[in-house]
Amino acid sequence: MNVEKMQTLYKIYFLFSSVLFSLFPGQVTAQNAVEHTLKLNKDGIKVYVHRHKNSGFRAFKAITCIDASLDSILAVMLDNDAYTEWGYACNKSFVLKDLSFYERYHYQVLDIPFPFKDRDFVLHSLMQHNPSTQTVSITSSAVLDYCLSHPSAACNQVQQTQHVRVSLSVGTFKLEPCKKGVQVTWSQHTDPAGKLPDWLVNQFVEDTPYWTLKNLSQKVKEEKYKYAKLIYDKQGYAIAFDAASQKAAVKASRKAKDFDLYPSF
């Protein structure tokens, strides 16, 4: 799907959502009302948990404000190969197929303590951008059969793993302006599949959002991402990263590494 067609679909989506909410504000609010329990409030990160209506496993919502630009945060989030460097307990991550700037399929492995098996995911991620509010959301959903219908070298690697494949997982990162930079709200529900003890599942539900967002707030400071700049079309939709800014970031990152080679006195 090309960028222009996707942008048209996003405009229709936001228009429909706005009309629906204006016509039925009470009903929309009531249907989405969920009782959240604050489980953690640390380092500017709040983690809430709640029972999912269709699952025995809890879902979470985590909120923090990161002192960085939207450009920098998106540069980190869209760099799937680097997710192992900031995503909690993720020990493998790579792209299976880039469909556009807004859509991709990718693969992740979650490290589960012995003697339990690691979990892995094939994910479909779709990004949405509202230029009028400068709000961006990225929703990732688990898909089981992608590699069966899209054979490739990367999918062959995925199909040969011995991990437990997760089939039910949906998460959304919402990015919107805040006083210090960008507020990141992460909502996630995952059924880890198979049998895992309650204490382990509960630990992941609380630790995953905290450490992931904490790591993200540090990752955006790296030279590679700090200088990232988005390119916008005439309607104000982000369509790519500026190649020149990426080259400058790589150059700055190399200089920083070279400097670290010399001892300080």
Side-chain angles (χ1 to χ4, degrees):
M1 185 180 296
N2 61 42
V3 173
E4 292 183 359
K5 186 175 181 181
M6 291 185 69
Q7 291 171 353
T8 301
L9 290 174
Y10 296 149
K11 291 176 184 177
I12 294 173
Y13 169 81
F14 285 117
L15 177 61
F16 176 78
S17 299
S18 300
V19 172
L20 177 64
F21 189 83
S22 64
L23 291 176
F24 308 103
Q27 288 88 329
V28 173
T29 302
Q31 290 174 358
N32 291 331
V34 176
E35 184 178 350
H36 293 84
T37 302
L38 180 63
K39 297 295 292 185
L40 184 66
N41 186 358
K42 183 180 179 181
D43 298 327
I45 301 170
K46 293 183 178 180
V47 178
Y48 301 85
V49 299
H50 67 271
R51 290 290 178 184
H52 193 275
K53 61 180 181 179
N54 297 321
S55 172
F57 296 98
R58 295 186 301 171
F60 68 74
K61 180 174 74 172
I63 305 172
T64 191
C65 188
I66 296 179
D67 184 11
S69 68
L70 176 64
D71 310 58
S72 296
I73 293 176
L74 276 181
V76 175
M77 288 188 165
L78 298 182
D79 187 1
N80 291 103
D81 292 346
Y83 188 67
T84 56
E85 299 170 12
W86 62 280
Y88 179 74
C90 180
N91 62 20
K92 182 174 289 187
S93 177
F94 55 83
V95 173
L96 296 171
K97 179 71 173 181
D98 266 319
L99 298 180
S100 72
F101 186 66
Y102 282 83
E103 185 177 11
R104 61 189 44 81
Y105 287 88
H106 53 107
Y107 174 74
Q108 291 178 358
V109 178
L110 188 64
D111 185 19
I112 304 295
F114 180 82
F116 307 102
K117 283 189 174 183
D118 289 351
R119 266 51 179 174
D120 66 353
F121 309 72
V122 174
L123 297 165
H124 174 226
S125 290
L126 184 65
M127 183 170 72
Q128 298 173 341
H129 178 208
N130 185 342
S132 62
T133 60
Q134 279 302 298
T135 299
V136 172
S137 66
I138 303 174
T139 298
S140 297
S141 305
V143 289
L144 272 180
D145 57 355
Y146 174 79
C147 280
L148 295 177
S149 56
H150 297 79
S152 65
C155 273
N156 287 341
Q157 180 181 346
V158 170
Q159 294 297 83
Q160 292 174 9
T161 64
Q162 300 299 314
H163 308 308
V164 176
R165 182 66 44 82
V166 172
S167 60
L168 297 175
S169 180
V170 179
T172 298
F173 282 97
K174 183 179 180 181
L175 313 177
E176 54 192 334
C178 65
K179 290 183 179 179
K180 292 183 179 181
V182 177
Q183 178 175 292
V184 180
T185 303
W186 181 16
S187 302
Q188 180 78 36
H189 175 255
T190 298
D191 184 330
K195 294 183 179 180
L196 290 175
D198 290 343
W199 66 265
L200 181 58
V201 175
N202 291 337
Q203 176 187 329
F204 268 92
V205 168
E206 296 176 23
D207 289 351
T208 297
Y210 170 73
W211 286 108
T212 298
L213 293 183
K214 184 176 178 63
N215 293 340
L216 174 62
S217 68
Q218 296 301 312
K219 192 68 177 173
V220 294
K221 297 178 182 179
E222 294 183 8
E223 305 291 337
K224 178 180 179 181
Y225 306 109
K226 185 165 62 175
Y227 297 106
K229 294 295 179 185
L230 287 165
I231 298 175
Y232 297 87
D233 66 9
K234 293 180 180 180
Q235 287 74 42
Y237 288 91
I239 57 174
F241 283 104
D242 178 55
S245 68
Q246 289 181 318
K247 289 181 180 179
V250 172
K251 186 176 181 180
S253 179
R254 287 174 178 171
K255 285 185 177 180
K257 289 181 180 179
D258 290 342
F259 182 78
D260 288 340
L261 294 176
Y262 294 93
S264 57
F265 299 96

